[in-house]
Amino acid sequence: GQQVMQIPQYQHVQEGEDFTTYCNSSTTLSNIQWYKQRPGGHPVFLIQLVKSGEVKKQKRLTFQFGEAKKNSSLHITATQTTDVGTYFCAPADRGSTLGRLYFGRGTQLTVWP
Amino acid sequence: GAVVSQHPSWVICKSGTSVKIECRSLDFQATTMFWYRQFPKQSLMLMATSNEGSKATYEQGVEKDKFLINHASLTLSTLTVTSAHPEDSSFYICSAPEGNHNQPQHFGDGTRLSIL
């Protein structure tokens, strides 16, 4: 399956600070999805990026897909305590019609009030 | 919205026991479901793809005789951990895409399995 490197593994910020997590692949991705998992919970879908250079926003969250479709990022502006959780990128298996996802190792975000 | 129900939430049992975990899509049909395993503070590792009406597709390194998958209907997939041992203790979670395969996945709440 698709192998991606996600950094950083941990990020601790004070409420109001910004946060960014990066997902990098050595190969071109067909598409990439982002999920959030709260402590003790299950992953929840955030966004899917498909097009080269695509940028999507959801309130304080901005998602980008690189021009070469080899990297992606999630940026949160002015973090809140509700943003706490682990953020995973998950590229779809290239060429597969089965929708298999191979999750990055995730970035665990801690927000201090 | 689409909901995936997973049962049970917790299982604690003795070594050697076989444990069955159910994953149901409640308001949509899923010809394909996925099973993941997650260790504490680690990522989700895809174990297998459950295919309705046919054999599951296992990821490399996953023992198919150890982790039996059955997808008997369009709304139900089961994972049976056979002769479980302490090293099988983990968080098992299923997912299903709503619609075609490249749609977002809806996840169950997961099953925390502890083998004594």
Side-chain angles (χ1 to χ4, degrees):
Chain A
Q2 295 289 340
Q3 297 294 324
V4 291
M5 178 66 70
Q6 192 173 351
I7 56 172
Q9 188 172 359
Y10 302 98
Q11 188 76 56
H12 309 280
V13 300
Q14 191 141 24
E15 192 171 21
E17 293 181 339
D18 292 355
F19 159 76
T20 305
T21 173
Y22 302 89
C23 192
N24 300 305
S25 170
S26 59
T27 60
T28 303
L29 305 172
S30 58
N31 66 72
I32 192 165
Q33 297 178 12
W34 284 89
Y35 290 80
K36 176 184 178 181
Q37 185 177 24
R38 291 181 182 273
H42 61 268
V44 174
F45 172 77
L46 295 176
I47 206 85
Q48 177 170 263
L49 304 171
V50 179
K51 300 178 182 177
S52 168
E54 190 169 16
V55 177
K56 288 188 176 180
K57 292 189 176 184
Q58 291 179 350
K59 296 183 180 179
R60 295 179 294 105
L61 278 62
T62 302
F63 302 85
Q64 294 189 4
F65 203 8
E67 293 289 342
K69 298 182 74 173
K70 289 185 176 181
N71 54 71
S72 181
S73 66
L74 158 59
H75 179 82
I76 301 179
T77 304
T79 55
Q80 300 175 359
T81 54
T82 54
D83 295 325
V84 165
T86 302
Y87 293 84
F88 294 100
C89 63
D93 190 19
R94 186 180 179 190
S96 168
T97 59
L98 294 179
R100 289 191 296 252
L101 296 177
Y102 296 95
F103 284 74
R105 69 175 181 180
T107 297
Q108 186 176 323
L109 173 64
T110 304
V111 181
W112 295 332
Chain B
V3 176
V4 172
S5 173
Q6 190 171 338
H7 177 82
S9 300
W10 290 84
V11 179
I12 302 174
C13 58
K14 294 180 179 179
S15 186
T17 306
S18 291
V19 179
K20 180 185 282 188
I21 303 170
E22 294 187 347
C23 182
R24 294 180 185 274
S25 56
L26 296 186
D27 52 359
F28 66 101
Q29 293 181 334
T31 57
T32 304
M33 292 185 178
F34 302 94
W35 288 95
Y36 296 84
R37 183 173 181 175
Q38 186 176 34
F39 291 104
K41 297 189 182 300
Q42 293 191 24
S43 187
L44 289 87
M45 183 192 77
L46 179 64
M47 298 175 65
T49 303
S50 175
N51 305 300
E52 188 270 334
S54 64
K55 292 182 179 180
T57 306
Y58 290 83
E59 296 297 307
Q60 191 173 6
V62 177
E63 299 177 59
K64 60 181 179 181
D65 294 331
K66 175 73 171 178
F67 300 99
L68 300 179
I69 291 173
N70 184 274
H71 196 144
S73 76
L74 287 171
T75 59
L76 173 65
S77 174
T78 60
L79 168 68
T80 302
V81 183
T82 62
S83 187
H85 293 284
E87 58 266 28
D88 298 322
S89 298
S90 190
F91 186 60
Y92 293 88
I93 191 164
C94 67
S95 73
E98 183 182 12
N100 70 50
H101 298 126
N102 285 319
Q103 290 302 308
Q105 304 278 340
H106 298 284
F107 284 82
D109 286 336
T111 297
R112 200 162 299 280
L113 176 62
S114 295
I115 308 298
L116 305 177

